[in-house]
Amino acid sequence: MASFVKAAFVVMAVLATLASPPSSSAAETIRINGTGAGLVVVKPLAAAFQKENRGIVIEMEKSLGSSAAIKALSRNALDLAISGRPLKPAEIAEGLVQQQWGQAPFAVLANRHVRASGVNLHELAAMYAGSNAKWPGGETVRVVLRPNEDVDTKLTRAMSLEMDRGVSAAQARKDMLVGITDNEGFELVKKTEGAVAVMSLSLALFEPNSVNVLKLDGVQPSVATLASGKYRFVKEMQLVTRKDAPAAVAKFIKFLESKKGRALSAKYGLLVTGAK
């Protein structure tokens, strides 16, 4: 609870910063925030877009997460939110619109010193449940959780009935590692010996060799295996704007869906599927 309250204060502080007038008066500014797993894909895309559009500046602060970014968007403190979940009816009623951007492999990430190349769902569920406490190399398993209401937790539960039970068991235990945001969870996996979590592959691709990306049921998570149907666990990314979004935002979204945008997105772990 203390970490959640701390995160809430951080979000409030960042929202206050976002609400400040844009720093550049000579250029159009697009203010973007959202889920950390989506922002790591947006960063190289934003850099490429700005090289081709010198009159547009893209600003991105530290990740707020999907819900806080959507709230900031509704308050006109952002121009584009990258969300790992669909809009709620109340958010749509506030004049927000969404379109699907793409799908990221929802992958098993372990600390880079873990001596394993893969797991199956049964083994992973046992790790969450606490009945499989050691990696094959002897390291103690440390599961990194997300808050129970978080979309990543829901996706992890949906992987199988056994995983659903395993997550419930893990959530009920005390002194578990919990990352409030994508970035917090990823940092815990990076720095904790024996750590494991199920997260977007994009986080690992943005920082090569920082974690061990494990095969799941014998399949390596990648955009290629996702596109072919071999890898079946995904996290969807939504682009959320206001109905009166500036023309620069529409131009950036068009770039995201261009051939160049799709290629860059794939490099950083997102299969662009386009508006649906």
Side-chain angles (χ1 to χ4, degrees), residues 172-192:
R173 298 202 303 273
K174 296 181 179 180
D175 301 321
M176 294 294 290
L177 298 173
V178 180
I180 301 299
T181 64
D182 287 345
N183 299 93
E184 272 192 31
F186 187 66
E187 287 300 315
L188 284 170
V189 173
K190 284 169 55 179
K191 72 181 185 182
T192 307

Side-chain angles (χ1 to χ4, degrees), residues 186-214:
F186 187 66
E187 287 300 315
L188 284 170
V189 173
K190 284 169 55 179
K191 72 181 185 182
T192 307
E193 183 178 349
V196 63
V198 190
M199 307 184 74
S200 172
L201 179 66
S202 59
L203 294 156
L205 294 183
F206 189 71
E207 295 186 41
N209 304 314
S210 59
V211 297
N212 186 2
V213 180
L214 302 182

Side-chain angles (χ1 to χ4, degrees):
M1 179 60 73
S3 61
F4 180 80
V5 172
K6 179 182 176 182
F9 279 115
V10 171
V11 168
M12 291 173 66
V14 176
L15 283 174
T17 301
L18 290 170
S20 301
S23 58
S24 174
S25 58
E28 290 183 87
T29 301
I30 303 175
R31 300 162 297 171
I32 303 175
N33 210 293
T35 177
L39 290 188
V40 294
V41 182
V42 170
K43 286 179 180 179
L45 285 159
F49 175 80
Q50 288 175 106
K51 285 183 179 179
E52 298 178 4
N53 298 271
R54 298 293 183 179
I56 300 176
V57 174
I58 294 178
E59 294 183 350
M60 286 189 290
E61 302 288 343
K62 181 179 178 181
S63 171
L64 294 171
S66 297
S67 295
I70 289 170
K71 183 175 291 186
L73 180 68
S74 69
R75 295 178 178 176
N76 203 29
L78 288 177
D79 302 301
L80 174 63
I82 312 299
S83 177
R85 64 165 176 80
L87 287 176
K88 299 174 182 177
E91 293 166 340
I92 295 173
E94 292 179 342
L96 302 183
V97 294
Q98 68 183 2
Q99 68 180 65
Q100 188 178 78
W101 179 20
Q103 298 176 330
F106 196 54
V108 181
L109 309 183
N111 182 270
R112 67 188 183 94
H113 297 298
V114 166
R115 288 167 286 176
S117 61
V119 294
N120 59 44
L121 269 180
H122 174 72
E123 292 168 335
L124 185 63
M127 291 177 182
Y128 274 75
S131 56
N132 185 2
K134 295 287 184 179
W135 289 101
E139 306 95 334
T140 299
V141 172
R142 296 295 307 277
V143 173
V144 177
L145 299 174
R146 299 295 298 280
N148 192 45
E149 68 278 4
D150 190 88
V151 65
D152 277 17
T153 301
K154 295 175 182 177
L155 290 174
T156 304
R157 288 181 178 277
M159 295 172 81
S160 71
L161 289 175
E162 196 175 14
M163 280 297 296
D164 185 26
R165 292 192 291 268
V167 171
S168 292
Q171 292 278 359
R173 298 202 303 273
K174 296 181 179 180
D175 301 321
M176 294 294 290
L177 298 173
V178 180
I180 301 299
T181 64
D182 287 345
N183 299 93
E184 272 192 31
F186 187 66
E187 287 300 315
L188 284 170
V189 173
K190 284 169 55 179
K191 72 181 185 182
T192 307
E193 183 178 349
V196 63
V198 190
M199 307 184 74
S200 172
L201 179 66
S202 59
L203 294 156
L205 294 183
F206 189 71
E207 295 186 41
N209 304 314
S210 59
V211 297
N212 186 2
V213 180
L214 302 182
K215 292 180 181 178
L216 181 56
D217 288 341
V219 182
Q220 188 70 36
S222 69
V223 168
T225 56
L226 179 61
S228 70
K230 292 180 180 178
Y231 195 81
R232 57 194 179 93
F233 303 103
V234 304
K235 179 174 182 176
E236 296 195 349
M237 298 288 176
Q238 310 287 336
L239 302 173
V240 185
T241 63
R242 295 185 303 278
K243 289 181 179 179
D244 60 348
V249 174
K251 190 171 186 178
F252 181 59
I253 291 175
K254 186 176 181 180
F255 175 78
L256 296 181
E257 296 180 340
S258 69
K259 183 177 180 180
K260 185 174 183 178
R262 288 170 181 265
L264 266 175
S265 297
K267 181 180 178 180
Y268 288 94
L270 185 78
L271 176 66
V272 175
T273 54
K276 288 187 177 180

